[in-house]
Amino acid sequence: MNDEVFRLLPEAVATDDIVDDPEFTEVTRNGEVYTLFRIVRFTHEATDHPEGWTHLANVVRVRNSAIGVALLRIENRVIEDARVTISNNSP
Amino acid sequence: MLRIQAAGPTAGQFGSFVRNVDSHTSVELTGLSSTATHTAEILKSGNIDALIFPFEWADVVRTLEVSRGAPKPDPALIVVAERLSPPILVRSLACGFDGAVETQGDVDHAVQKIHKVVAGDWTLESEPSMAGLDLRRGLLARELIIEDINDRHIADLVGTGLTDDDIALVMGWSIQKVRNRIENLLATNELAYRTQLAVIRASLLKVPDFS
């Protein structure tokens, strides 16, 4: 983790402190596959990330359970873009 | 004795195939329908084991399946093509066919295959070339499940070919809300890909009423 870009958030930060809706859809495979996730906890905040990501969060996949980590771009409390890395398919 | 109804043109390769099937000892040909309306009536009568169609009538089968609204066909729907290639099998499966036979080659072999499809021992999904594709039988042959007017708008806009960004603009929603709605539509309708939603929504607009 690049400490110059990512800052660890206190555990006390609640999801609704940062976004209005904790559920978001990641779009993959050339815009064809839609996968719904829910944010469990924001872990890091990013500053001046070269790819525009603003936050890092622990997430769960809503259908076909799995857990993972999401890079998020949040603007005005709305998740505009997401890239999820699944770390476990059966939490 | 297998009771088979044919639907399609009486002339040409399909007509010739039907006559060959009719001459087979294990088959009773109940007739040959040359219009979609007559075929729909035969389908509703439920007095046959299989309906065979030329591949060119794939869209007729799709619309028949939509109008019938049955998840599992009875009789079996079987596509007939000169040669079965993977694109023909994919299209046939999506339109709601259960099986497929070739006109070229031995008619005994084709009739045996029809018997297997009727008995449920062979399906299009079991074809090796279908392995690994996220395709289900009748994908294009059903109504979309739409929960409310906003879902209908989203399906219409996806079917119109708009991007998620464009749809967000039209609906006055965030991109996140649009994507969550599309994801819900895909999940509700058991669709794997956004394009499937677009194609189904667009194609259903042309479905004639067979009732």
Side-chain angles (χ1 to χ4, degrees):
Chain A
M1 190 68 59
N2 186 343
D3 289 337
E4 293 176 0
V5 176
F6 287 97
R7 183 177 70 87
L8 187 65
L9 289 170
E11 286 192 29
V13 172
T15 301
D16 58 12
D17 289 340
I18 298 175
V19 288
D20 290 330
D21 184 354
E23 290 193 340
F24 66 95
T25 298
E26 184 195 29
V27 181
T28 54
R29 294 183 66 179
N30 298 317
E32 284 293 330
V33 175
Y34 286 58
T35 311
L36 185 63
F37 291 93
R38 183 180 302 116
I39 295 168
V40 177
R41 188 173 88 82
F42 282 100
T43 59
H44 293 77
E45 188 176 48
T47 308
D48 298 328
H49 191 283
E51 293 178 38
W53 303 115
T54 61
H55 292 81
L56 195 64
N58 296 134
V59 297
V60 292
R61 193 164 61 197
V62 175
R63 306 181 213 278
N64 305 316
S65 295
I67 60 174
V69 174
L71 280 163
L72 301 164
R73 183 166 63 82
I74 297 170
E75 291 175 16
N76 300 320
R77 300 179 54 81
V78 170
I79 299 165
E80 296 286 342
D81 199 5
R83 187 195 298 162
V84 178
T85 302
I86 295 293
S87 53
N88 187 331
N89 277 317
S90 53
Chain B
M1 184 71 76
L2 200 62
R3 290 172 58 82
I4 296 178
Q5 174 79 21
T10 55
Q13 204 161 38
F14 181 72
S16 171
F17 176 77
V18 169
R19 284 187 289 280
N20 286 337
V21 168
D22 189 23
S23 65
H24 200 276
T25 53
S26 72
V27 169
E28 179 192 347
L29 188 72
T30 57
L32 197 156
S33 323
S34 55
T35 68
T37 307
H38 184 221
T39 307
E41 289 166 6
I42 298 288
L43 195 57
K44 282 174 183 167
S45 76
N47 200 22
I48 46 175
D49 299 310
L51 252 168
I52 60 174
F53 296 82
F55 176 67
E56 292 71 27
W57 274 41
D59 278 311
V60 174
V61 170
R62 180 176 66 77
T63 54
L64 286 172
E65 281 289 276
V66 172
S67 65
R68 192 164 59 149
K72 177 67 187 155
D74 184 23
L77 304 178
I78 295 167
V79 69
V80 176
E82 182 183 1
R83 191 182 178 87
L84 296 175
S85 62
I88 285 179
L89 295 177
V90 165
R91 179 71 181 166
S92 301
L93 182 63
C95 285
F97 284 102
D98 299 288
V101 293
E102 290 183 332
T103 57
Q104 66 173 16
D106 186 12
V107 72
D108 275 342
H109 183 256
V111 170
Q112 277 175 18
K113 208 168 172 188
I114 294 172
H115 273 283
K116 282 186 178 176
V117 175
V118 170
D121 293 335
W122 184 87
T123 62
L124 279 171
E125 283 120 319
S126 64
E127 270 290 291
S129 56
M130 300 293 105
L133 301 180
D134 207 340
L135 268 183
R136 292 188 308 109
R137 181 195 163 278
L139 175 75
L140 300 178
R142 58 206 176 97
E143 299 279 6
L144 286 174
I145 299 166
I146 303 245
E147 290 173 355
D148 59 25
I149 186 66
N150 282 329
D151 274 355
R152 180 161 298 281
H153 287 327
I154 293 292
D156 285 343
L157 295 170
V158 170
T160 306
L162 295 190
T163 64
D164 291 355
D165 287 327
D166 290 340
I167 294 171
L169 205 61
V170 170
M171 297 297 290
W173 291 353
S174 69
I175 187 78
Q176 180 188 349
K177 185 171 178 179
V178 169
R179 287 177 171 164
N180 287 359
R181 279 281 188 155
I182 292 174
E183 190 278 340
N184 187 57
L185 267 172
L186 294 175
T188 303
N189 287 282
E190 299 179 4
L191 301 174
Y193 306 115
R194 187 187 194 274
T195 299
Q196 292 172 337
L197 175 64
V199 170
I200 293 171
R201 186 64 195 137
S203 62
L204 288 179
L205 301 176
K206 299 179 216 162
V207 173
D209 182 11
F210 285 104
S211 60

